[in-house]
């Protein structure tokens, strides 16, 4: 048996999707969901999505929507259940209850997080468990659009910042730069830099993990071992990308000044972080895939 990476295929027939939605009356459900969660998205657009920490939220929604549209032919091909799917209705009632609690009590985790089980419940009701299996990725991917709770961020961010600061100082010092630190404050030249939560917080790891999950989904590994190794590589790759981002910001500040480090080039460093994470996934994936093919060729030769 040979291991081959299956290229993602895109079958995006918007005319067919629109016809199915309007023909089946599903557009009413879609419209109801838009109205229900409009205030939620407005709150997140003015709050978490307007920050460095959770600015990836709209991107996640767009990717999830595109993934759903691409998977729609497979979802629509699933026969409608020949019975009432009570599990779906129960999940829908429970999810809307969580939404109501989150909306009334201003608990954004409940408010925005409820969209995930609501989407799963609707697919269950209209297409059953087989439909939910076909639609699992766009629904699961919505997890990355939900802002993480403050208590979790605060508990995990400080140790990450300290560890990353130590790593950056050690790498730059070994490269010949006169750099020192006091906790998460770095001193280089005449500048003093604070490693902020946005640079290496749990939110940053959260968004980079989304990149890793999307990459794994798109390449569709043919082996469970291949998939498991890529999943295990997500957090190390995210951490390495964060280290690179902070190093870039330190060097930009050192050579071009504080204004450059905090301005456009700061955002550019964020782009580099995501690009480097994707590159690391690509290199690691090819290392694994190439290794598997070499092992299989050796087995055949033997």
């Amino acid at each position: 048996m040979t291991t081959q990476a299956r290229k993602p295929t895109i079958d995006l027939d918007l005319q067919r999707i629109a016809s199915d939605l309007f023909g089946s009356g599903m557009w009413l459900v879609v419209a109801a969901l838009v109205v229900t969660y409009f205030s939620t998205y407005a709150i997140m657009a003015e709050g978490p999505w307007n920050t460095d920490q959770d600015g990836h939220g709209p991107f996640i929604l767009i990717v999830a929507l595109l993934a759903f549209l691409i998977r729609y032919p497979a979802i629509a091909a699933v026969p409608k259940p020949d019975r009432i799917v009570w599990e779906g209705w129960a999940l829908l009632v429970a999810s809307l209850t969580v939404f109501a609690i989150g909306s009334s009590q201003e608990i954004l985790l409940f408010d925005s997080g409820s969209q995930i089980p609501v989407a799963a419940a609707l697919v269950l009701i209209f297409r059953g468990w087989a439909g939910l299996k076909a639609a699992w990725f766009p629904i699961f991917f919505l997890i990355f659009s939900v802002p993480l709770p403050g208590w979790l961020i605060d508990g995990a961010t400080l140790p990450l910042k300290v560890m990353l600061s130590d790593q950056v100082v050690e790498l730059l010092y070994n490269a010949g730069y006169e750099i020192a630190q006091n906790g998460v404050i770095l001193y280089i030249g005449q500048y003093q830099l604070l490693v902020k939560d946005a640079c290496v917080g749990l939110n940053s790891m959260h968004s980079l993990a989304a990149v890793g999950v999307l990459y794994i989904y798109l390449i569709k590994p043919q082996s469970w071992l291949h998939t498991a190794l890529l999943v295990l590589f997500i957090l190390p790759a995210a951490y390495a990308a964060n280290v690179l981002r902070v190093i870039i910001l330190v060097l930009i500040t050192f050579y071009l000044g504080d204004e450059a480090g905090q301005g456009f080039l700061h955002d550019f460093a964020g782009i580099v972080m995501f690009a480097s994470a994707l590159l690391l996934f690509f290199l690691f994936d090819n290392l694994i895939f190439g290794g598997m093919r070499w092992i299989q060729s050796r087995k055949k030769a033997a």
Side-chain angles (χ1 to χ4, degrees):
M1 187 177 86
T2 60
T3 303
Q4 293 183 341
R6 183 168 46 186
K7 295 181 179 179
T9 57
I10 298 178
D11 182 10
L12 190 55
D13 190 344
L14 295 179
Q15 185 176 0
R16 175 190 173 186
I17 293 172
S19 176
D20 287 350
L21 289 177
F22 282 93
S24 63
M26 273 292 291
W27 69 272
L28 291 171
V29 177
V30 174
L33 282 177
V34 171
V35 171
T36 300
Y37 283 97
F38 179 81
S39 60
T40 300
Y41 294 144
I43 291 171
M44 291 199 292
E46 295 177 358
W49 289 355
N50 200 28
T51 64
D52 291 339
Q53 293 92 331
D54 290 294
H56 62 277
F59 168 76
I60 298 298
L61 282 181
I62 293 171
V63 172
L65 177 60
L66 287 175
F68 178 80
L69 293 176
I70 292 170
R71 291 294 299 160
Y72 186 80
I75 299 169
V78 175
K80 295 181 179 179
D82 54 3
R83 65 176 182 87
I84 297 176
V85 185
W86 294 109
E87 306 96 314
W89 285 104
L91 181 59
L92 181 62
V93 171
S95 304
L96 291 176
T97 301
V98 171
F99 167 77
I101 294 172
S103 182
S104 61
Q105 301 301 313
E106 298 183 355
I107 305 174
L108 198 54
L109 178 63
F110 288 1
D111 193 349
S112 60
S114 63
Q115 65 184 321
I116 301 168
V118 164
L122 290 175
V123 174
L124 262 178
I125 291 170
F126 287 99
R127 294 296 173 183
W129 290 101
L132 184 59
K133 182 180 179 180
W136 75 268
F137 178 76
I139 295 174
F140 168 78
F141 200 66
L142 286 173
I143 290 176
F144 297 104
S145 71
V146 180
L148 295 173
W151 59 267
L152 181 59
I153 295 173
D154 295 339
T157 294
L158 183 57
L160 278 173
K161 288 199 300 182
V162 172
M163 183 169 62
L164 179 136
S165 300
D166 294 341
Q167 193 74 50
V168 168
V169 169
E170 182 179 354
L171 289 172
L172 288 177
Y173 183 80
N174 291 334
Y177 289 91
E178 294 184 1
I179 185 171
Q181 74 177 115
N182 181 14
V184 296
I185 301 176
L186 309 183
Y187 302 91
I188 185 169
Q190 60 180 322
Y191 301 105
Q192 173 181 304
L193 298 91
L194 172 66
V195 179
K196 296 181 179 179
D197 293 357
C199 292
V200 65
L202 194 59
N203 279 307
S204 178
M205 302 289 283
H206 187 57
S207 58
L208 288 171
V211 174
V213 170
L214 179 61
Y215 179 85
I216 295 171
Y217 176 74
L218 289 177
I219 67 164
K220 298 187 182 339
Q222 298 299 293
S223 163
W224 68 266
L225 179 59
H226 189 176
T227 303
L229 289 174
L230 286 175
V231 169
L232 291 175
F233 187 65
I234 286 177
L235 290 183
Y239 179 79
N242 272 298
V243 170
L244 180 61
R245 180 188 186 184
V246 175
I247 289 176
I248 290 174
L249 290 175
V250 170
L251 294 179
I252 287 174
T253 303
F254 179 68
Y255 286 109
L256 301 178
D258 186 63
E259 186 175 346
Q262 298 301 318
F264 167 77
L265 292 178
H266 182 279
D267 297 329
F268 177 74
I271 297 173
V272 171
M273 177 183 68
F274 281 95
S276 60
L278 275 175
L279 179 60
L280 284 171
F281 280 119
F282 176 77
L283 293 175
F284 185 72
D285 177 38
N286 278 272
L287 179 63
I288 295 175
F289 186 61
M292 286 183 171
R293 286 192 299 181
W294 182 81
I295 293 173
Q296 288 176 354
S297 64
R298 296 288 294 178
K299 286 182 177 179
K300 287 183 177 180

